[in-house]
Amino acid sequence: MGIVRAIVKSALGVVLALGATTATAEAPKRGGILTYMIPADGGPSLDGHRETTYAVLHATAPFYSVLIRVNPDDPSSTTDFRCDLCVELPKPTDDGLTYTFKIRKGVKFHDGSPLTAADVAASWNKVVHPKPGVASARENNFVMVDTITAPDDETVVFKLKFATLTFLPALADPYAYIYSKQKLDQDMHWYEKNILGSGPFKLVDYQIGQSIKGERNPDYYHPGQPYLDGFVAIFAPKQAVRTDAIRADRAALEFRSLPPSARDQLVKELGDKIKVQESDWNCGNVVTPNHQKKPFDDVRVRKALFLAIDQWKGAQALSKIAIVKTVGSIVFPGSPLAATKEELQQLIGYSPDIDKSRAEARRLLKEAGQENLSFELLNRNVDQPYKYVGTWLVDEWSKVGLKVAQKVVPTGPWLDAMRSGDFTVALEANCQNVVNPIADVGRWLPHEVYRENYGYFADPAMIDIYNRMLRETDFAKARALMRQFETRINGQAHQLMVTWWYRIVPMRSYVEGWKISPSHYLNQDLANIWLDQ
Amino acid sequence: MGRYVIKRVLLVIPTLLGAAALVFVLMRLVPGDVCVVRLGSSGGTFDPKAIALCHAELGMDRPVLVQFLDFVWGFLRLDFGTSMWSGAPVTSEIWARLPISLEIAILATVIAIAIAIPLGAISAIKQNTWIDIVVRVFAVGGIATPSFWLGIVSLLIVLDVTSALFGAPWMPPIEYVPIWQDPLRNLSMAVLPAVTVGYRYAAVSMRMTRSAMLEVMQEDYIRTARAKGLMNKLIINRHALKNALLPVVTLIGIEFAFLIGGLVVTEQVFNLNGVGRLFVQAVQNQDYTLTQALVMLTVMVFVICNLIVDLLYAWLDPRIRFS
Amino acid sequence: MATNIGTIGLSPVATDQGPKRLSRTRRLFRFFRRELLGTFGLLLVVVTAATGLCAELLAPYNPTANDFGAMMEAPSWEHLLGTDQFGRDLLSRIIYGARTAMIVGLSSAVVGGTIGLVMGVASAYFGGKTDLILQRVFDVFMAFPLIIMALAVVAIFGTGVQNVIIAITIPLIPRCARVVRSSALAIREVPYVDAARALGFGHARIILCHMVPNVMAPFLIMVTAFVGQAVLAEASLSYLGLGVQEPVPAWGLMLQGGAEEYASSAPWIAIFPGVAIVLSVLGINLFGDALRDTLDPKLRKR
């Protein structure tokens, strides 16, 4: 019962803007080349298992298949997963410990060799249990997996160590490309410099730092797809270039996000030649006080920091100039596990009565003897949305008498300062690809468990709640534990989530078939895109 | 002359060695390293095991002196190693990006010479007239204008003007095609950046042409010829120009080596996949091998340009030539 | 490089005064009349410097005050040059930016020039091995393009006004040293230097009292050129994101990020700071040219 309501709410919770394809879609036209831009420089290698940057994903996802994925025709749903290489989504057996997938027959790699369950198992073993010397970026998402085997050519069996709600969403990882076992046996590092998949497109040309091109795979197993004859992806790190390129139709779109001003400008100039899709984004900024630096070891000071911020008004104002919009706490706002508005307003820093909050903040600061506290906010030298959010935070804190200066540094020193604990308060970001809330909130765990939590605090109670939640298979009970987890973090004022990000993807009107999702890592294989030209 | 040549060429070695040491030390003083950037750049999880693995893979766990000697030895054999960021050979990384940068550099040089020498000469001949003032202001403008700002503004103007005239805005292509495949498209991509970079280049050359011409025109033999009324003014001026060209040519040669600075920012503005952009990426990624190779390349160009200039002057100076 | 290296060749001048000299004011007058462009340049420089000095008096708004209600507004009576993407008044930021530009420009040029002067003269004076080694050091540093060297320094020491000044100063030192050295070499050979040594004058005294005054002309010309180059270098560094940081008002910083992104919809954000840079560097260079024309006997008008 709760699940039905939750699913309905999640569907409503995401905003799909004007110009998105209507329910009565036209029949897709075949043909055409899609030119799009990748808003970054090329990643270090071509191996999806190893890399974490979306640049690699946007460049290589069209060449590969995955086992399961978010529904490409409804990617904004956080619960609708579909099969790509499998035949149907299995129900777990053995008290939720075993998942048995049947693999499609007749799938071929681009070089003609057949794809079997052995390839699926080999690829997943590379992700989950990488051999020494092989890096797997998301290894930690799969701690629950015990073994992956392929008893025959059409069956892959995942055995888990414990039952959990996080497994299936984790399995829909868009980076989990299925590689050829033969190539992996030859050389585990082969895929770092080469591309051989079974996806909707075959590699035509890769110019380092410049572009990557693909053409239709005629043997693709999803009937009718891909509609496009091919694609060209151009690396374009500068936003001004991307906006101008869309304006001048040098490219149709970029798949990450443009800021509100670019959208407004394009809409104003191009009218009906442009359409925009928008969505909440599974990314957000986090204010992280360093608990090891005085006076942020004092929970009163941290609470004051959070109380001073007017999330509701701030989000509204910032959404006009930055890629942020929704106020939320630790769970992605569109997920059924997220707090409702009423639940949210109970938390520190989310009260609708900002004057009361600020008065309380001042009182706490006075009590802690830190009335005229001044400190540096460590921020990343990226405009959207870091510098905007940082500037806004500095302003908010000044309203309770805190004097804050922003220390804006490039990405390298920013990460370095946080890793070494050489900062007072940092503004960082939290981005996940598939919406998998229970797994995603693992990043709030103390440093001893989650190495990238730079708050440097200890909290065994938190760890305990989390472990119970991870192993809880009943949805309603898991949600209750999530609220407990959330309240614990908030009550101890460990870290604060400020403003979830907001994706804005303007595209030329002739691009059809692509639907926006909460993550710029999802739905990038381009198989269902067609051009209305 | 022979002794001078040998001495001069030998002096190149300590310069290169010094540059190698400098870039080596500078890179390693920057906090963080390529492994952190690679594994943790988009805020994802990375664990110290992976970092340690990465360090071992790239040879970064070896003693510093060993790494330096390896670098120098490799440089001597023209083996620049592999990029720490992508694992591809440095040579292929640079080779892939050389065409567009070279094209813009050459185009900028052509534009610079075509503008600078005639304008500089006219400005010198018509010294203190309004032509002179206009040209001088134009030249100083070229030195005063930041090239990236010029790029941004020119792109803006192109977009807005074409939008106003033709209804649809036009911008240079963002995807590179070699000149033999599609010359028109290739040139339309290169012309705006070349003009942006070339303006400053032209400005510097223009000023040098002007002052060199002025110097030559004050020489006694020119003044005498004029006083005697022997030769046509045009012939005198052409004669002066020929003699003034030497310092101009040497300046153009030396400034070519400095073009890389202009390319670095211009390629950012126009989204060109060139060597300048590679440089910025390499430094940001803290890719030691690639940065070292690029710096050594730039230093080599500078050193060679200077060497040629010095040898040329030595050859022209009879005291050295015949010693 | 702004200066024409080939034209700075001076004949050594003895430090004693010549027989006939016009009064100071008459010479100044002649300078202004003959060098129209130079005077214009000086005017621009004075305006920039004055703006920077009196920024508090001139700026209508606080340059770092955000106003999310007035973002990216076109120039109007309220905001003469418009506002940027944070709602900050552009005119005020440009006015305060003049201060940053002058600080960065003058500090880098003066410090870099002075160190270069000392090293160049010392190198020429001591000659021999010292000269050889110093020359190689100069070569190494000169071979690095200014931007690359500054990039590295900023990456190591971090961003911010101080570090930007250091980053720009370092590449300027060898450039000045080289030029000063070649001028100083000519003076080194003049007999009275040897005579001074014979009389027992110390190294320092000879360098400071006899050699330095004679290289002042090319030195001053270089320093004025450096100020312009430093302002441009700061702009380029900030454009690459490695210079002065938010929310300090600096012209180069104003051209970074937001300005370019919004260039199509709010062009004033990109245009005005650029114009400020162009005008100030133009002024510096025009003045420097006039200075060189006056001080360099070879280029005196016929």
Side-chain angles (χ1 to χ4, degrees):
Chain A
M1 196 44 179
I3 295 185
V4 172
R5 211 169 345 137
I7 290 178
V8 170
K9 212 157 38 132
S10 81
L12 289 172
V14 174
V15 178
L16 282 172
L18 2 133
T21 48
T22 59
T24 55
E26 321 159 30
K29 296 191 188 141
R30 274 180 91 80
I33 308 257
L34 176 72
T35 307
Y36 64 95
M37 297 172 288
I38 302 178
D41 286 316
S45 80
L46 296 169
D47 184 351
H49 297 179
R50 184 196 169 127
E51 302 302 337
T52 55
T53 162
Y54 59 84
V56 172
L57 194 97
H58 286 198
T60 54
F63 304 117
Y64 292 102
S65 311
V66 290
L67 182 60
I68 72 169
R69 58 187 179 174
V70 160
N71 182 358
D73 292 316
D74 184 21
S76 52
S77 158
T78 59
T79 49
D80 187 3
F81 298 107
R82 296 291 168 96
C83 266
D84 187 15
L85 278 177
C86 56
V87 170
E88 63 167 355
L89 281 184
K91 292 256 172 318
T93 55
D94 257 341
D95 280 328
L97 290 177
T98 307
Y99 287 77
T100 308
F101 290 89
K102 279 255 171 295
I103 306 297
R104 274 175 200 267
K105 283 206 280 235
V107 180
K108 291 207 271 264
F109 283 104
H110 296 150
D111 65 352
S113 57
L115 186 149
T116 65
D119 300 298
V120 177
S123 306
W124 270 102
N125 273 311
K126 181 168 175 294
V127 172
V128 176
H129 301 303
K131 294 214 176 68
V134 177
S136 172
R138 282 155 293 275
E139 195 183 340
N140 290 324
N141 291 1
F142 301 101
V143 286
M144 76 289 279
V145 177
D146 190 18
T147 61
I148 309 169
T149 51
D152 61 59
D153 267 356
E154 287 171 44
T155 320
V156 178
V157 180
F158 286 81
K159 277 213 173 52
L160 304 185
K161 293 182 192 145
F162 55 86
T164 170
L165 289 172
T166 62
F167 176 63
L168 216 55
L171 214 60
D173 184 351
Y175 281 100
Y177 302 153
I178 303 302
Y179 292 150
S180 156
K181 178 171 191 303
Q182 193 194 31
K183 295 287 184 208
L184 288 177
D185 287 340
Q186 267 172 22
D187 176 10
M188 267 293 174
H189 298 280
W190 191 83
Y191 275 95
E192 287 171 24
K193 301 203 181 56
N194 298 283
I195 292 180
L196 178 69
S198 49
F201 293 92
K202 292 158 86 139
L203 176 67
V204 167
D205 184 30
Y206 174 45
Q207 306 247 345
I208 314 177
Q210 160 72 12
S211 60
I212 192 164
K213 296 194 177 123
E215 65 179 2
R216 176 190 289 126
N217 172 12
D219 298 321
Y220 193 52
Y221 45 90
H222 286 300
Q225 292 180 351
Y227 305 113
L228 295 168
D229 285 334
F231 72 89
V232 176
I234 303 174
F235 292 101
K238 279 238 144 215
Q239 188 195 299
V241 170
R242 297 199 298 277
T243 319
D244 288 338
I246 296 178
R247 205 176 145 197
D249 205 10
R250 286 279 178 206
L253 78 163
E254 59 135 279
F255 282 112
R256 190 170 174 267
S257 176
L258 285 175
S261 56
R263 168 201 61 198
D264 296 337
Q265 179 204 334
L266 286 170
V267 167
K268 193 171 88 169
E269 276 169 18
L270 297 172
D272 62 355
K273 292 208 194 79
I274 198 98
K275 59 186 182 188
V276 186
Q277 290 196 38
E278 301 180 0
S279 161
D280 277 323
W281 202 342
N282 195 11
C283 289
N285 282 111
V286 179
V287 174
T288 303
N290 185 350
H291 293 48
Q292 292 186 341
K293 286 251 173 39
K294 287 195 174 333
F296 294 100
D297 51 346
D298 185 342
V299 65
R300 292 171 298 188
V301 174
R302 296 198 303 270
K303 279 189 182 160
L305 219 59
F306 300 172
L307 284 165
I309 303 170
D310 188 353
Q311 297 247 28
W312 304 99
K313 198 123 127 268
Q316 212 181 26
L318 282 173
S319 69
K320 298 205 193 80
I321 53 168
I323 46 172
V324 297
K325 186 152 183 187
T326 311
V327 178
S329 184
I330 63 178
V331 181
F332 173 66
S335 159
L337 284 163
T340 60
K341 191 159 179 191
E342 297 77 38
E343 285 163 334
L344 213 50
Q345 287 177 337
Q346 309 297 322
L347 299 172
I348 298 175
Y350 294 88
S351 166
D353 188 348
I354 189 63
D355 295 316
K356 184 156 147 241
S357 298
R358 288 200 176 129
E360 173 71 7
R362 281 188 205 270
R363 188 190 67 79
L364 283 167
L365 284 171
K366 195 152 176 204
E367 200 185 287
Q370 295 291 345
E371 278 165 291
N372 292 314
L373 179 60
S374 85
F375 61 89
E376 257 186 359
L377 174 71
L378 179 74
N379 198 356
R380 186 180 181 187
N381 188 11
V382 171
D383 252 20
Q384 286 285 2
Y386 295 83
K387 288 195 352 213
Y388 288 99
V389 175
T391 311
W392 165 69
L393 284 172
V394 167
D395 213 32
E396 297 287 288
W397 283 325
S398 70
K399 297 189 176 132
V400 296
L402 293 165
K403 283 177 258 316
V404 186
Q406 265 196 81
K407 185 171 172 199
V408 179
V409 292
T411 309
W414 172 71
L415 283 172
D416 224 47
M418 290 193 290
R419 273 178 77 216
S420 59
D422 185 19
F423 69 96
T424 328
V425 178
L427 184 68
E428 41 169 345
N430 172 41
C431 251
Q432 307 289 342
N433 53 57
V434 182
V435 176
N436 190 357
I438 299 176
D440 293 346
V441 300
R443 58 94 60 231
W444 298 86
L445 290 170
H447 185 73
E448 60 178 282
V449 178
Y450 187 80
R451 263 171 316 262
E452 257 122 68
N453 189 324
Y454 302 117
Y456 297 108
F457 58 88
D459 195 340
M462 245 179 96
I463 301 176
D464 179 60
I465 304 175
Y466 184 76
N467 282 329
R468 279 187 284 144
M469 182 167 62
L470 183 61
R471 285 161 171 75
E472 180 55 66
T473 48
D474 176 69
F475 180 80
K477 292 205 191 115
R479 192 175 184 284
L481 283 165
M482 183 64 86
R483 297 279 79 69
Q484 269 188 46
F485 190 64
E486 190 174 60
T487 323
R488 175 79 196 167
I489 296 173
N490 191 259
Q492 292 296 308
H494 285 314
Q495 292 165 290
L496 182 73
M497 192 74 179
V498 288
T499 58
W500 285 84
W501 293 4
Y502 193 62
R503 272 184 93 186
I504 299 172
V505 179
M507 62 189 84
R508 305 286 307 197
S509 307
Y510 53 75
V511 178
E512 301 279 358
W514 185 79
K515 299 227 181 55
I516 197 168
S517 73
S519 159
H520 54 299
Y521 300 93
L522 297 176
N523 197 20
Q524 289 303 132
D525 69 3
L526 315 178
N528 58 356
I529 297 187
W530 55 281
L531 303 178
D532 189 8
Q533 279 174 330
Chain B
M1 178 76 182
R3 276 185 62 192
Y4 179 82
V5 171
I6 293 173
K7 220 175 69 167
R8 186 62 187 79
V9 170
L10 280 180
L11 282 180
V12 161
I13 296 174
T15 311
L16 289 179
L17 214 64
L22 187 64
V23 68
F24 186 84
V25 167
L26 277 180
M27 285 309 299
R28 278 152 186 79
L29 285 178
V30 180
D33 63 46
V34 63
C35 291
V36 175
V37 180
R38 200 152 92 177
L39 295 170
S41 57
S42 45
T45 329
F46 71 92
D47 77 287
K49 249 196 324 165
I51 300 265
L53 207 74
C54 176
H55 282 162
E57 246 174 46
L58 299 172
M60 283 165 65
D61 51 354
R62 296 173 300 166
V64 174
L65 196 61
V66 171
Q67 290 185 48
F68 180 64
L69 290 172
D70 194 39
F71 161 50
V72 173
W73 178 234
F75 180 71
L76 289 173
R77 290 174 302 159
L78 289 180
D79 169 18
F80 298 103
T82 50
S83 158
M84 284 184 175
W85 174 252
S86 67
V90 163
T91 338
S92 70
E93 291 277 9
I94 297 179
W95 188 250
R97 289 156 176 95
L98 210 50
I100 185 74
S101 293
L102 219 55
E103 189 181 327
I104 292 175
I106 291 173
L107 222 63
T109 312
V110 167
I111 292 174
I113 295 176
I115 298 177
I117 294 182
L119 281 182
I122 293 174
S123 173
I125 294 168
K126 302 253 189 262
Q127 189 185 20
N128 276 344
T129 60
W130 66 271
I131 296 181
D132 182 26
I133 293 186
V134 164
V135 171
R136 279 171 66 191
V137 172
F138 179 62
V140 179
I143 298 172
T145 312
S147 55
F148 64 91
W149 181 76
L150 190 63
I152 295 172
V153 170
S154 59
L155 207 56
L156 192 64
I157 292 176
V158 165
L159 274 164
D160 283 341
V161 165
T162 49
S163 182
L165 285 178
F166 306 119
W170 180 90
M171 93 180 263
I174 51 176
E175 203 200 330
Y176 174 73
V177 287
I179 193 161
W180 53 86
Q181 251 177 44
D182 189 347
L184 205 65
R185 194 186 157 107
N186 174 284
L187 283 174
S188 65
M189 199 176 178
V191 70
L192 221 55
V195 167
T196 308
V197 174
Y199 182 23
R200 192 190 160 278
Y201 202 5
V204 172
S205 310
M206 213 182 302
R207 286 153 61 84
M208 178 51 117
T209 309
R210 179 181 177 275
S211 53
M213 272 284 279
L214 283 177
E215 252 188 75
V216 168
M217 292 201 306
Q218 294 201 43
E219 292 289 326
D220 288 335
Y221 68 92
I222 299 277
R223 294 212 274 164
T224 319
R226 270 222 167 102
K228 284 194 186 164
L230 281 177
M231 290 197 270
N232 188 308
K233 240 196 187 169
L234 203 67
I235 301 174
I236 296 175
N237 291 332
R238 227 187 287 155
H239 199 65
L241 183 60
K242 250 202 298 188
N243 287 316
L245 272 185
L246 185 61
V248 175
V249 168
T250 56
L251 179 78
I252 289 178
I254 295 177
E255 282 288 321
F256 187 82
F258 288 138
L259 268 183
I260 185 84
L263 278 180
V264 166
V265 275
T266 308
E267 286 175 9
Q268 294 282 326
V269 174
F270 293 98
N271 194 57
L272 300 169
N273 187 32
V275 176
R277 190 163 128 191
L278 184 64
F279 221 137
V280 177
Q281 284 172 31
V283 173
Q284 283 175 347
N285 293 335
Q286 293 172 243
D287 185 344
Y288 297 160
T289 35
L290 190 55
T291 314
Q292 282 159 193
L294 284 167
V295 168
M296 291 312 291
L297 217 71
T298 319
V299 169
M300 285 278 301
V301 173
F302 176 83
V303 160
I304 289 175
C305 282
N306 269 295
L307 182 68
I308 294 176
V309 164
D310 280 351
L311 289 179
L312 198 68
Y313 267 117
W315 188 70
L316 290 170
D317 186 343
R319 290 176 294 174
I320 303 180
R321 181 147 125 215
F322 299 116
S323 70
Chain C
M1 295 264 297
T3 36
N4 304 306
I5 302 169
T7 58
I8 301 183
L10 300 176
S11 36
V13 185
T15 44
D16 292 333
Q17 300 287 353
K20 194 158 123 198
R21 291 180 87 223
L22 296 162
S23 77
R24 268 272 191 74
T25 26
R26 293 277 322 263
R27 277 174 60 199
L28 230 59
F29 226 55
R30 269 171 97 187
F31 172 82
F32 287 142
R33 217 183 42 174
R34 282 209 293 214
E35 300 282 351
L36 216 63
L37 282 182
T39 317
F40 176 60
L42 185 61
L43 204 71
L44 284 175
V45 172
V46 168
V47 165
T48 312
T51 314
L53 277 171
C54 314
E56 279 92 359
L57 298 170
L58 292 166
Y61 294 84
N62 179 345
T64 55
N66 302 306
D67 184 1
F68 287 171
M71 295 181 303
M72 296 207 285
E73 287 192 353
S76 64
W77 283 118
E78 265 155 26
H79 295 278
L80 285 175
L81 295 181
T83 58
D84 70 3
Q85 69 271 25
F86 285 111
R88 299 178 293 204
D89 179 47
L90 232 53
L91 178 63
S92 309
R93 283 180 72 75
I94 289 183
I95 289 174
Y96 273 89
R99 173 176 293 180
T100 317
M102 287 292 106
I103 292 175
V104 172
L106 285 171
S107 313
S108 317
V110 169
V111 173
T114 312
I115 299 178
L117 174 72
V118 170
M119 290 184 80
V121 170
S123 180
Y125 178 74
F126 288 111
K129 276 225 196 82
T130 324
D131 186 30
L132 222 61
I133 294 175
L134 277 178
Q135 272 215 298
R136 297 282 73 74
V137 171
F138 297 157
D139 268 352
V140 168
F141 277 87
M142 272 195 76
F144 272 69
L146 203 132
I147 280 289
I148 309 302
M149 170 76 65
L151 252 169
V153 171
V154 166
I156 299 170
F157 296 110
T159 53
V161 178
Q162 269 177 335
N163 293 329
V164 168
I165 293 176
I166 296 174
I168 298 175
T169 306
I170 294 178
L172 293 179
I173 297 173
R175 285 162 171 81
C176 184
R178 263 286 197 84
V179 171
V180 165
R181 177 184 168 275
S182 43
S183 301
L185 272 180
I187 300 163
R188 175 86 179 74
E189 307 305 324
V190 169
Y192 72 81
V193 171
D194 285 331
R197 282 294 291 141
L199 282 173
F201 288 172
H203 293 301
R205 180 161 171 189
I206 298 179
I207 290 178
L208 285 173
C209 297
H210 294 285
M211 298 186 80
V212 165
N214 284 295
V215 301
M216 274 322 255
F219 170 68
L220 283 175
I221 294 163
M222 287 231 84
V223 170
T224 43
F226 281 172
V227 177
Q229 282 183 53
V231 172
L232 282 177
E234 184 273 316
S236 297
L237 277 180
S238 298
Y239 175 71
L240 292 173
L242 297 167
V244 177
Q245 293 300 330
E246 293 279 1
V248 176
W251 293 333
L253 187 63
M254 291 165 75
L255 289 176
Q256 188 231 1
E260 211 184 355
E261 283 170 29
Y262 309 120
S264 312
S265 50
W268 53 90
I269 303 180
I271 291 179
F272 290 126
V275 170
I277 296 176
V278 173
L279 284 177
S280 56
V281 178
L282 189 84
I284 294 166
N285 274 300
L286 284 176
F287 176 64
D289 280 354
L291 199 67
R292 190 194 64 230
D293 283 351
T294 324
L295 293 175
D296 186 348
K298 278 212 213 150
L299 285 185
R300 291 237 173 84
K301 311 286 192 304
R302 298 174 249 147

